[in-house]
Amino acid sequence: MISKINPIIKFFILGLIGSFASWIILWFVMAGSVYLFVPQQPEPIIRYKEFPIQLVYEVEGKEYIIADSIICEYDGQEFNEGTGEKYRKWKSRLKSGNTRITLFNTMDGIEIFYLDLRSFPAGAYMGEPTINADVRELFPDALYTKNFEDRTIGRYIISSNEMWEKYKLRLINWEIAPPIKNKFE
């Protein structure tokens, strides 16, 4: 009796495995074909632009001026599995090579900085019609973190009042070139 059950169980298990594998392969084919057949977004005419910036701030009565440029570039197309659409990618960096403007490092290891380029809306500055953002919203506040390189550690807003009260630090002026108008063909 046991020898007859074993082949039946084996057949049943192999049937389940085969059905599951077929189902997985079907989903991969469907997902891949969706990606292949979704049309590309029109390409931007302007793919590279430098936006001059200037930040004036004060620490304990001494004024500092940071002048740099934010470089924005077209970075190809990505597929959004959630919406089933392709979209244009943009990237940004500072011409100086920095990833942010560090204003102050406290004795207890907190870095106060301005302009985190990992969240900079490069597409908005390059005329991307689907993105509406402005980096002027934060001014005169800034950001702070305990470890900028560790993405698991948060970045928080520090108000202009708190910066002044705790560190005698204040942002005086922030200027950035305006976004461009771009065409997509």
Side-chain angles (χ1 to χ4, degrees):
M1 178 91 172
I2 293 176
S3 61
K4 289 184 180 181
I5 294 176
N6 282 340
I8 292 171
I9 292 174
K10 289 178 185 175
F11 180 74
F12 180 72
I13 290 172
L14 287 174
L16 282 176
I17 291 171
S19 297
F20 184 71
S22 298
W23 183 75
I24 294 292
I25 290 170
L26 175 66
W27 275 103
F28 274 117
V29 168
M30 286 174 34
S33 64
V34 166
Y35 174 77
L36 292 174
F37 295 116
V38 170
Q40 294 277 87
Q41 291 291 319
E43 298 283 320
I45 299 298
I46 303 170
R47 295 169 175 255
Y48 176 97
K49 179 76 174 149
E50 295 184 15
F51 298 90
I53 61 170
Q54 183 179 41
L55 178 66
V56 180
Y57 66 101
E58 174 188 334
V59 179
E60 296 180 355
K62 186 171 180 184
E63 192 172 286
Y64 298 89
I65 299 173
I66 302 290
D68 206 335
S69 289
I70 298 174
I71 298 171
C72 296
E73 293 181 87
Y74 176 64
D75 195 27
Q77 306 228 351
E78 285 275 320
F79 181 70
N80 183 328
E81 294 85 3
T83 63
E85 298 175 338
K86 291 183 182 175
Y87 62 93
R88 289 178 286 269
K89 284 184 8 179
W90 300 91
K91 61 184 178 179
S92 60
R93 67 182 190 278
L94 284 171
K95 192 172 190 175
S96 64
N98 296 326
T99 56
R100 64 206 176 274
I101 299 171
T102 299
L103 305 170
F104 191 75
N105 287 305
T106 69
M107 297 298 270
D108 57 348
I110 293 175
E111 176 187 2
I112 300 173
F113 63 97
Y114 197 75
L115 190 68
D116 183 354
L117 284 178
R118 293 186 288 197
S119 59
F120 183 78
Y125 274 80
M126 292 300 289
E128 178 67 55
T130 61
I131 302 172
N132 186 14
D134 186 5
V135 296
R136 298 170 208 244
E137 295 172 357
L138 187 60
F139 185 85
D141 301 331
L143 300 165
Y144 74 94
T145 187
K146 283 233 179 216
N147 184 345
F148 185 84
E149 301 307 323
D150 186 348
R151 293 184 73 95
T152 63
I153 296 176
R155 286 148 192 77
Y156 306 98
I157 294 175
I158 183 168
S159 72
S160 58
N161 291 337
E162 186 178 356
M163 280 191 301
W164 182 251
E165 289 170 15
K166 286 185 175 180
Y167 309 109
K168 297 300 180 223
L169 165 66
R170 70 182 170 122
L171 302 182
I172 298 169
N173 188 37
W174 166 244
E175 295 178 20
I176 182 171
I180 64 168
K181 296 210 184 278
N182 207 342
K183 292 183 181 178
F184 301 89
E185 297 179 351

